Amino acid sequence: MAKSVFVGNLKMNLVSPDEVGQYLINLKREMERLAHPDVSVILCPPSLYLEQFRKLPSVVACGAQNAHWEKSGAFTGEISPLMLKNFGIEHVILGHSERREHFGETDEIVKQKVDAALKHFLTPIVCIGETRTERERGEVESVIARQAGSVFAGLSKLQAENVVLAYEPRWAIGTDVTPTTAEIMEVRILIRKFLTESYDAALAAKVRVLYGGSVKHTTLPEVSWEAEMEGVLVGRESLSPLEVAKMVESLQAAPDPQDAQSL
Ligand code: PGA
């Protein structure tokens, strides 16, 4: 993966062939304009469109928004990690707060999915983050420790370094409210500490951590590299290819994370 990561979560949007077609035309134009970005761009459309998105220029990778933990079987409506892999998909978002909230996904379920994704050589982009109430009660540290603890339980170093974490405070998703740079950096430090204690500092430096929740190109520096994050996970704003390009450009212009840490 490149220096920074941009993940676009298109959620359950783009509802007609025309809309999908127009989005792909505009995205292709915007991406071709960017000369070899040093940013991994991963777009996650509804699974019905994965095949079309997979045909985008290779500067754009394609990811799923969810996957089951079994490789096949009687699970009506689900999509398996093995199917994704066999159809050339490399990434999958897991544990998104909307899945946790509307589909009852617990830490245990998310963990089963993470293990299955890794088993099938997919890169899991795993969302963790506290609710507003948990933040107000001062529980950010314990929530992050619990969720990260569950994600990484029993993973070897090799598996752990393939996990991408997305810190997405639930109260910041779809709300136009974002934490301050200092609040995001505190979580970044908690995650680094957790990984250093669970593995070692070298592994902690390898695991990519993204920020997600109401990211716009105007706020991107303060929620990503200024907070020592390696990139962003973007919902609504990724529905505009022009905004995607602006955010990718902004990440491209970010200083090297190693330099930023030594500032
Ligand atoms: P948002 O969504 O950018 O619309 O707040 C973030 C997400 O889906 O994780």
Side-chain angles (χ1 to χ4, degrees):
M1 261 190 204
K3 161 180 101 170
S4 315
V5 183
F6 174 92
V7 180
N9 174 14
L10 301 182
K11 309 197 183 194
M12 196 173 72
N13 291 303
L14 304 178
V15 297
S16 68
D18 282 354
E19 262 190 70
V20 176
Q22 201 51 54
Y23 184 88
L24 288 169
I25 289 169
N26 293 342
L27 187 76
K28 194 161 173 276
R29 192 188 54 232
E30 293 299 335
M31 288 297 127
E32 278 166 356
R33 206 169 52 75
L34 299 178
H36 308 295
D38 194 14
V39 180
S40 291
V41 180
I42 304 161
L43 281 176
C44 304
S47 47
L48 183 63
Y49 315 142
L50 281 169
E51 192 58 21
Q52 275 167 285
F53 274 69
R54 211 170 60 78
K55 293 185 186 130
L56 277 165
S58 58
V59 291
V60 182
C62 187
Q65 295 177 13
N66 180 33
H68 197 261
W69 59 84
E70 290 292 344
K71 64 178 194 298
S72 63
F75 298 99
T76 302
E78 292 292 325
I79 186 161
S80 98
L82 181 59
M83 288 173 187
L84 293 173
K85 189 67 192 173
N86 286 344
F87 279 82
I89 307 303
E90 305 283 342
H91 306 85
V92 59
I93 298 175
L94 294 174
H96 191 279
S97 67
E98 287 153 16
R99 303 254 1 134
R100 293 179 190 257
E101 190 180 333
H102 304 304
F103 302 96
E105 289 197 8
T106 58
D107 287 344
E108 291 70 33
I109 292 173
V110 175
K111 170 61 175 164
Q112 277 183 283
K113 293 182 169 199
V114 170
D115 287 350
L118 289 168
K119 185 170 163 206
H120 296 290
F121 305 103
L122 294 171
T123 300
I125 301 161
V126 192
C127 304
I128 59 173
E130 80 287 354
T131 61
R132 165 62 73 194
T133 314
E134 286 165 339
R135 175 163 283 273
E136 281 165 3
R137 287 197 198 129
E139 294 171 0
V140 175
E141 185 165 355
S142 59
V143 170
I144 297 297
R146 189 193 75 228
Q147 293 180 337
S150 169
V151 170
F152 287 94
L155 297 189
S156 68
K157 272 193 196 176
L158 207 61
Q159 289 174 311
E161 69 184 52
N162 282 314
V163 173
V164 175
L165 278 182
Y167 168 55
E168 299 213 311
R170 291 202 198 183
W171 49 274
I173 296 175
T175 57
D176 288 329
V177 182
T178 49
T180 63
T181 303
E183 285 169 333
I184 299 171
M185 204 190 294
E186 272 167 31
V187 173
R188 182 68 185 91
I189 292 165
L190 283 177
I191 294 171
R192 198 176 291 139
K193 184 165 160 268
F194 164 82
L195 290 170
T196 305
E197 284 167 4
S198 309
Y199 298 92
D200 54 37
L203 185 285
K206 280 186 189 159
V207 174
R208 306 298 180 119
V209 186
L210 317 180
Y211 168 78
S214 297
V215 179
K216 297 180 169 42
H217 86 266
T218 46
T219 56
L220 188 137
E222 65 213 45
V223 299
S224 62
W225 55 271
E226 286 176 14
E228 295 188 8
M229 291 285 174
E230 284 84 16
V232 286
L233 195 167
V234 181
R236 286 158 298 162
E237 293 292 299
S238 62
L239 289 168
S240 159
L242 181 61
E243 292 303 314
V244 170
K246 284 185 193 166
M247 289 185 275
V248 171
E249 264 173 329
S250 178
L251 283 173
Q252 215 177 323
D256 190 279
Q258 303 302 328
D259 298 344
Q261 276 169 36
S262 60
L263 285 179

